[in-house]
């Protein structure tokens, strides 16, 4: 009996000793943190836990490996996207070099004490729908951000301040100012939606012609990179000189003068609200020379991501709601008594920030189109 008991204990000890910990190692080529893991963490593992683990390497440049990581992250409720990570027995996520270096030895000690068969690695086949949902969520965020920054576009903002100065000179205040502002913003919204609707369907006409579509997207990417460079240069030049003439990405003077003429004539309408609506429509069309720098790439993203059904129209509406949000806030501020010098000073002080944000947005849109 004693011999039998000893054999059983020996067998149990052997089973525990034979416990192999599974390590899924996700990395990218050229990643600095990955190089530190390779140089410092992996040799430590080999020295402290020889033969006690199975290291499975996954290069994130391969789509199947990225999908596998997405599967792990969703199952483990992980929101971060680290350049390098390790998953211990499919149940513990360690993201980034610091977390791996600090937490892996303790995670290994804990995992090797578990009985064999207790690990639960997520070896489900990669789900392309998960990758699609992530890409879609990122695209939606980019579209809404683009709409908001488009509304803060210096072209739009300076034109609106000029219009509000005309309203102030015409002694349009209080409820009348709010009504005129609401009608003007409604006109901008409807016109911009109509322009987007038409442009979107033009883009969809090219969807079946891959060479032509690729040519359009290549030209847009090149223009976005150019606009990003010009935006950063404008920010640098304006910061040094403080002169609007140093800014390259702005409405041409001829179009700007035409917009001012439209606004002056619109206030002469017998029916003020009808005049405000007409001004909003015409100004939005004329401003599209400037705002189209952001709008057209956003529409290309919508046609690529949401073109299969009708959801794109909902995102088109959201883009334009974000676009008019700054205009509405400006009218509300004027209605509450903010004076024109405050608006002018704010606009001047934020040219550098606005141009820098637009430059970053252009780079983001170019990256999304490339990916």
């Amino acid at each position: 009996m004693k011999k039998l008991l000893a054999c059983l204990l020996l067998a149990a000890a052997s089973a525990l000793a034979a416990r192999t910990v599974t390590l899924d190692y996700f990395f990218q080529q050229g990643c600095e943190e990955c190089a530190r893991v390779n140089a410092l963490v992996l040799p430590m593992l080999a020295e402290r836990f020889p033969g006690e683990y199975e290291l499975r390497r996954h290069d994130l440049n391969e789509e199947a490996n990225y999908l596998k990581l997405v599967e792990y992250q969703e199952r483990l409720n992980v929101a971060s996207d680290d350049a390098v990570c390790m998953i211990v027995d499919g149940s513990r996520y360690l993201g980034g070099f610091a977390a791996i270096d600090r937490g892996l030895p303790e995670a290994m000690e804990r995992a090797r004490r578990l009985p064999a068969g207790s690990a639960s690695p997520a070896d489900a086949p990669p789900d392309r729908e998960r990758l699609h949902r992530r890409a879609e969520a990122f695209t939606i965020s980019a579209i809404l951000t683009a709409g908001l920054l488009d509304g803060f576009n210096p072209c739009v903002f300076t034109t609106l301040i000029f219009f509000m100065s005309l309203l102030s000179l015409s002694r349009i205040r209080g409820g009348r100012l709010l009504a005129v502002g609401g009608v003007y913003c409604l006109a901008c919204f409807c016109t911009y939606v109509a322009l987007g609707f038409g442009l979107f369907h033009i883009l969809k006409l090219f969807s079946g012609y891959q060479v032509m579509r690729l040519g359009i997207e290549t030209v847009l990417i090149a223009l976005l990179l150019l606009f990003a460079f010009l935006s950063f240069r404008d920010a640098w030049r304006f910061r040094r000189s403080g002169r609007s003439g140093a800014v390259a990405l702005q409405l041409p003077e001829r179009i700007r003068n035409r917009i001012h003429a439209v606004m002056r004539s619109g206030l002469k309408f017998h029916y003020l609200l009808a005049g405000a609506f007409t001004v909003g429509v015409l100004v939005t069309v004329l401003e599209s020379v400037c705002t189209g720098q952001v709008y057209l790439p956003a529409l290309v993203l919508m046609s690529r991501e949401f073109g299969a059904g009708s959801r794109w129209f909902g995102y088109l509406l959201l883009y334009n709601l974000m676009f008019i949000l700054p205009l509405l806030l400006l009218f509300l501020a004027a209605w509450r008594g903010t004076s024109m010098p405050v608006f002018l000073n704010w606009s001047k002080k934020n040219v550098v920030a606005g141009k820098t944000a637009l430059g970053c947005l252009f780079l983001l849109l170019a990256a999304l189109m490339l990916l």
Side-chain angles (χ1 to χ4, degrees):
M1 179 63 70
K2 289 182 179 181
K3 288 184 178 180
L4 180 59
L5 182 60
C7 290
L8 290 174
L9 289 173
L10 184 61
S14 299
L16 287 173
R19 168 87 165 88
T20 301
V21 179
T22 301
L23 298 177
D24 284 283
Y25 173 36
F26 293 91
F27 63 93
Q28 301 177 45
Q29 297 295 337
C31 158
E32 183 179 344
E33 285 195 293
C34 305
R36 295 175 69 188
V37 171
N38 292 335
L40 301 174
V41 177
L42 297 188
M44 177 275 295
L45 270 178
E47 182 180 344
R48 289 187 56 177
F49 308 99
E52 298 181 22
Y53 63 92
E54 176 191 358
L55 183 66
R56 303 193 292 198
R57 299 171 181 265
H58 307 285
D59 187 345
L60 287 174
N61 290 317
E62 298 178 14
E63 183 187 33
N65 292 333
Y66 179 75
L67 289 170
K68 186 176 184 65
L69 176 59
V70 170
E71 175 75 26
Y72 273 128
Q73 288 177 326
E74 293 204 359
R75 193 173 70 83
L76 300 176
N77 196 27
V78 174
S80 62
D81 283 317
D82 301 288
V84 60
C85 65
M86 242 182 224
I87 299 172
V88 182
D89 272 344
S91 59
R92 181 166 178 182
Y93 179 92
L94 299 171
F97 169 76
I100 295 172
D101 185 47
R102 183 177 59 252
L104 187 57
E106 181 269 333
M108 281 290 299
E109 292 287 356
R110 179 177 298 181
R112 64 201 286 262
R113 289 196 297 265
L114 295 173
S118 61
S120 55
D123 284 331
D127 184 358
R128 290 181 178 272
E129 184 61 27
R130 292 177 188 272
L131 181 61
H132 176 73
R133 287 200 303 270
R134 282 202 169 194
E136 180 179 311
F138 191 66
T139 302
I140 292 168
S141 300
I143 288 171
L144 296 183
T145 302
L148 184 62
L149 288 180
D150 203 6
F152 279 106
N153 193 315
C155 302
V156 177
F157 216 72
T158 54
T159 299
L160 185 58
I161 289 177
F162 177 80
F163 183 51
M164 293 179 67
S165 67
L166 292 179
L167 294 176
S168 178
L169 291 173
S170 302
R171 300 186 181 279
I172 297 173
R173 299 184 180 88
R176 294 176 69 204
L177 176 64
L178 205 58
V180 169
V183 169
Y184 177 86
C185 292
L186 177 64
C188 293
F189 176 80
C190 293
T191 307
Y192 222 36
V193 168
L195 288 172
F197 188 86
L199 287 171
F200 182 90
H201 282 284
I202 291 174
L203 290 170
K204 290 305 294 177
L205 289 176
F206 297 114
S207 61
Y209 303 93
Q210 294 299 323
V211 175
M212 191 174 295
R213 183 182 180 90
L214 180 62
I216 292 173
E217 292 187 0
T218 302
V219 171
L220 276 177
I221 290 169
L223 287 174
L224 284 169
L225 294 175
L226 175 63
F227 292 153
F229 167 75
L230 292 175
S231 295
F232 293 134
R233 192 183 68 171
D234 285 346
W236 179 72
R237 284 183 170 182
F238 189 86
R239 184 171 184 176
R240 291 190 63 185
S241 66
R243 294 183 299 102
S244 60
V247 175
L249 285 181
Q250 59 178 321
L251 281 171
E253 186 176 357
R254 183 178 177 184
I255 295 179
R256 190 163 59 246
N257 292 336
R258 182 61 180 163
I259 289 174
H260 292 171
V262 166
M263 288 181 165
R264 290 190 184 97
S265 62
L267 291 179
K268 297 176 183 177
F269 273 39
H270 182 65
Y271 297 102
L272 184 60
L273 295 183
F277 191 88
T278 304
V279 167
V281 171
L282 295 176
V283 166
T284 303
V285 172
L286 291 170
E287 281 181 344
S288 63
V289 174
C290 181
T291 57
Q293 299 164 4
V294 178
Y295 200 22
L296 186 57
L299 287 169
V300 171
L301 286 177
M302 290 184 209
S303 69
R304 179 191 288 177
E305 190 68 43
F306 312 115
S310 59
R311 286 186 306 149
W312 66 269
F313 189 68
Y315 293 110
L316 179 67
L317 296 179
L318 283 175
Y319 179 99
N320 285 285
L321 283 173
M322 299 300 287
F323 172 74
I324 66 165
L325 182 60
L327 314 186
L328 289 170
L329 292 176
L330 201 62
F331 273 110
L332 284 172
W335 174 65
R336 291 181 64 87
T338 305
S339 62
M340 290 307 302
V342 173
F343 290 132
L344 291 170
N345 289 333
W346 187 91
S347 177
K348 188 173 182 179
K349 287 179 180 178
N350 287 275
V351 169
V352 174
K355 286 291 183 178
T356 303
L358 275 176
C360 293
L361 176 64
F362 289 137
L363 290 178
L364 173 62
L365 291 174
L368 281 173
M369 291 183 67
L370 280 170
L371 295 174

